[in-house]
Structure formats: C-alpha cells, structure tokens
Amino acid sequence: RKLSELTLAHVSSVKGGATPASPSSAPVVAATSPDFVLGSSETVWEQESITPILDLEAGMIKGDTANLMACRARVEAALASLEQADPEASPLREAQELEDGGIRAMLGQLPKLTPDELTRIINADTKRTFQGDLAKSVLEPVLQQAAELFDGEYHQGEARVAGFLLMMMPADQVVRTLHLLQRSPRHGVFAYWRNLAVGLAADANCVEAVVAKTDPELADHLSKKLYLPAGTWCPKYCAALGVSMLPYPNLLSFFERFVAEGADFLVRFCLALLQEVRPALMAATDISQGLRQLEIKQHVGQDGAGLQTTIALVERVIARTHDMKDLKLDKSMTRLREEFLAAEVEKGIARYVNPANDDDEGVEECQLCNDNLPDFRCNDCGLIVCEDCHSEPPAGSKHSSAHNVKEFE
C-alpha cells in the first residue's frame, strides 16, 4: 500500500469516520463539504484581510480559481514524490525502524504536553494564525488531529504550515500531509514539531558551526557585534517552513525544494541567506538591523513597495543553496545535523528527565504568552521568552525584539 493510503486510513480511524473522497476539481464548494478549501471562500478573504500568513500572498491564489488550482497542483505534485515512494524504502517504514531505538527512542523520553495543555496551546495558536471564525473552525481540528497522530506532539510552527496548506487543500488532505512529514526522518519536523523542539536548536547550532568554519569573519560579527544567534531567526524558515516570512511565489518553490531534499535544504537556505545579505549584515551595528536583513518579510516594507525586489532576492537565495552543497565540510550536512540533534536530545534528557539542579525550577513557559516553552533569556529585560514573542512582543510588554538575548538552556 502507498504511504498516502496508510496515513489516510490512520487519519480516518482517528476521526472515527470513513475515508473522505478525493478533492474535486472545482475549489468553490460549501464550507461543510470535505472538499472545502479556505482559499476558495470570499468570506475567508474578507475575514483574513490582516492575517500575517497571507500578507505576502501577492495575488497568487486570491480571487482567481485557476491560480488557486495551479498552486494546489504544485503542492500535490511535490508531495506525490513521497506518497508514491517504494514501500520498502518509504519514510513511514524508515521512521518505524528508527522508533525502535536511537534518536526517536531518546526523543520519546522528553516531556510532552498534557491533553489540556495541548488543547489550550492549539487554541491560542489558531487565534494567532487566523482572525475569522470560519478559518479558525477549520484549522483547530486539523492541528488537533495531526497532534493526536503524532503521539500528542505539537509546535507553533505547525499552525502556520497548516494554515498555508489549508488555503489550497481540504482539511483531511492537510492532516495527511502533516502526518506524512512528521513520519519522515529526513524532513526534520519530527524533531521540530514537538513540545521540546530540540531539532530547531540543533539546526540553528549547525548553521552557526558551518558559518564559523566557512566564514569566521561573519560568525564573529554576528556573535560579538550583533549578539544575533541563529536561534532567533532560523526557526522561521525551519519550524514554519518560511510561512509568513516569504512571498507566496517564493514560498511554493521553497516548499517544493523542502519536500524534495528534506531538512538539509532548510539549513542550506539559512546559510545561503547569510551569504546573500552578508554586506548588509557586516554593515549592521545592532541586533535589530541584523534581523531586518534575515527576516525576509521586512524587505517588502509596510507599503509593499519592495515586493518584487524581495521575490528576486529569495530566488537568488534559493539558487545559492545549490552552492551550499559543495561546502568543504568534514562531514555531510545530514551527518552534521544528526550530531547536533543527538547533542540537543541528550541535553534535554539531562535537564528534564535527569535534572542535576533546580536553577530554573518553575520556569516552564514563555513569560509573555504563557503558552510556549521558552527559547531565549533576555539580557536586557531579564524575561524568558519564546521565539514568537521575541520576534513580535505583545503590546505593552517591556521586552523588545531589539533586545540582546541568549538561547535558553
């Protein structure tokens, strides 16, 4: 059986219903239909006029059925390469073997959310992702089902990816897609989309290590002049797969390359981005100037005047990722990432499973949103904050994205 059939059957058993029919070719259907697609609804577009994940939609899917279907076809074509994999070498089979030992077994020791915590956090992330009731009513059960299929694991970046996919695909197909990616060892999200997202810290550390080896001048500037750790910006392209950060024309290409090449592509993208904006980074004098270069959406500007130049910039970055394959590293990118991941998992086990001290006892959540695990400790205001709240601090908080932070350990 194909991987798509296996995961779809699993989704149906979780929902307690029959396997849904394949999506129809016409995207304009009733919201109650299993074939309903958010991007086909005028109500959704009216309610989501200021939704961050649609800020950079750039006319790719809004108000044009042909464009919507073309974008959906590209996403489905990319996913077909996984769904039609040889069963003897499928991501599902590989993942099952990994679960018997090694990293997967170690990840299973790390703390998980309780069912009540999971429901609360998914509800909060649903409200952050969409503004209107219609889209939220579709997204929240998708996240709940995906988390249940993934043994109760979840991360806020998953909400953005699901929101992006729901604009083009029906809910059951999005659940299947999320689960397919979660089960695939080479796509990395099995270590990203978790309560303790050790994979994000590992890949950020991997980026820093490669830059230190290949461009020590830039590495020194980022760490000692800008105080800009990779963990402050890499998760936007890893956990959230660039959603809300990249213009949609780039986002589709980014997603296609990610599905084809796995999480190695995400790390190469971050390295290529550093090289593309290197002159501006070297001219930057503080963390806020540095983040303006690395958070690609900031290149567009409030009035959208920089959209076309930003699209061209991201095209150059994606093209550069091919050069990143030829880096003179002692190990392959995959092996390097695996080693950093193993180190982060061991660190998590030491802290949460076999704690040696109680220095941070009682600090379990971001002190701004009280939802997510903390990613950073701020050297300026003293708060412990998650990546989302560092990038976009809640109104009235004393924390600023320009503050000097260090990774929370």
Side-chain angles (χ1 to χ4, degrees):
R1 298 169 68 189
K2 293 191 297 185
L3 180 57
S4 58
E5 295 170 338
L6 290 169
T7 52
L8 185 54
H10 193 178
V11 169
S12 298
S13 66
V14 169
K15 294 181 68 181
T19 300
S22 299
S24 68
S25 59
V28 182
V29 295
T32 54
S33 167
D35 294 339
F36 176 65
V37 173
L38 290 182
S40 68
S41 168
E42 292 183 5
T43 300
V44 168
W45 287 108
E46 291 170 359
Q47 294 179 344
E48 307 302 331
S49 59
I50 57 172
T51 297
I53 71 167
L54 297 176
D55 281 348
L56 304 179
E57 181 266 338
M60 285 288 287
I61 58 177
K62 182 179 180 180
D64 190 318
T65 300
N67 282 351
L68 174 63
M69 295 303 293
C71 292
R72 176 175 172 178
R74 287 180 61 181
V75 171
E76 291 177 337
L79 293 170
S81 63
L82 292 181
E83 295 182 335
Q84 297 172 359
D86 181 348
E88 292 304 312
S90 72
L92 182 60
R93 184 182 181 90
E94 293 171 14
Q96 190 63 53
E97 292 171 353
L98 282 175
E99 284 176 350
D100 295 333
I103 291 295
R104 292 262 178 169
M106 294 171 68
L107 284 167
Q109 299 180 51
L110 298 176
K112 296 182 180 180
L113 297 168
T114 67
D116 287 345
E117 289 171 335
L118 178 64
T119 297
R120 176 174 58 83
I121 291 174
I122 284 179
N123 179 264
D125 285 347
T126 297
K127 293 175 181 176
R128 292 189 185 103
T129 305
F130 286 124
Q131 309 295 317
D133 290 340
L134 178 53
K136 287 188 288 190
S137 72
V138 176
L139 174 62
E140 187 163 1
V142 163
L143 298 179
Q144 289 282 2
Q145 291 169 36
E148 185 173 347
L149 288 166
F150 197 40
D151 199 23
E153 294 286 7
Y154 169 77
H155 183 273
Q156 62 210 36
E158 193 173 355
R160 298 182 185 179
V161 176
F164 162 67
L165 293 174
L166 283 168
M167 296 303 296
M168 297 172 286
M169 298 160 59
D172 282 311
Q173 193 173 357
V174 173
V175 174
R176 184 173 73 233
T177 298
L178 296 176
H179 188 54
L180 180 71
L181 293 173
Q182 289 164 340
R183 299 284 291 179
S184 168
R186 69 189 182 93
H187 286 87
V189 298
F190 72 90
Y192 294 163
W193 294 347
R194 311 184 74 88
N195 175 43
L196 196 63
V198 289
L200 297 179
D203 281 354
N205 290 341
C206 182
V207 168
E208 290 183 347
V210 172
V211 175
K213 180 177 177 62
T214 59
D215 194 344
E217 181 184 20
L218 176 60
D220 191 67
H221 184 71
L222 290 171
S223 63
K224 296 180 180 178
K225 181 71 174 180
L226 302 185
Y227 305 104
L228 183 55
T232 59
W233 59 275
C234 285
K236 302 175 191 300
Y237 305 104
C238 296
L241 303 184
V243 177
S244 80
M245 198 58 54
L246 302 178
Y248 268 49
N250 303 127
L251 189 56
L252 287 165
S253 299
F254 184 97
F255 187 80
E256 289 168 330
R257 288 284 302 277
F258 164 68
V259 172
E261 301 174 31
D264 285 2
F265 166 74
L266 303 179
V267 172
R268 290 198 301 270
F269 180 89
C270 292
L271 292 168
L273 175 58
L274 286 170
Q275 288 302 309
E276 181 65 29
V277 300
R278 188 184 190 281
L281 283 175
M282 294 301 295
T285 58
D286 58 43
I287 186 173
S288 62
Q289 292 180 10
L291 282 174
R292 276 199 293 273
Q293 297 304 316
L294 296 171
E295 293 182 347
I296 289 177
K297 68 178 180 181
Q298 295 201 40
H299 291 248
V300 176
Q302 293 292 329
D303 59 358
L307 178 62
Q308 293 305 317
T309 57
T310 302
I311 291 173
L313 180 148
V314 180
E315 287 175 348
R316 294 195 301 272
V317 173
I318 291 177
R320 276 181 180 265
T321 61
H322 293 292
D323 298 334
M324 298 295 117
K325 292 182 179 181
D326 299 325
L327 291 171
K328 305 296 184 185
L329 302 175
D330 297 331
K331 302 163 183 157
S332 70
M333 183 67 73
T334 300
R335 183 60 182 161
L336 196 60
R337 290 183 52 250
E338 288 174 348
E339 292 183 359
F340 278 107
L341 177 57
E344 286 300 317
V345 174
E346 290 172 358
K347 188 188 301 182
I349 291 174
R351 179 178 179 193
Y352 292 99
V353 182
N354 304 308
N357 61 71
D358 297 320
D359 290 347
D360 291 313
E361 185 176 0
V363 178
E364 298 179 348
E365 298 174 331
C366 166
Q367 294 177 323
L368 291 181
C369 67
N370 296 316
D371 277 333
N372 303 316
L373 285 172
D375 296 299
F376 308 111
R377 186 189 298 275
C378 182
N379 294 328
D380 293 332
C381 66
L383 291 177
I384 295 170
V385 300
C386 67
E387 185 265 333
D388 269 7
C389 289
H390 173 62
S391 298
E392 299 178 10
S397 72
K398 66 178 182 178
H399 183 69
S400 167
S401 59
H403 282 184
N404 176 16
V405 296
K406 65 178 181 180
E407 291 189 28
F408 180 72
E409 299 181 352

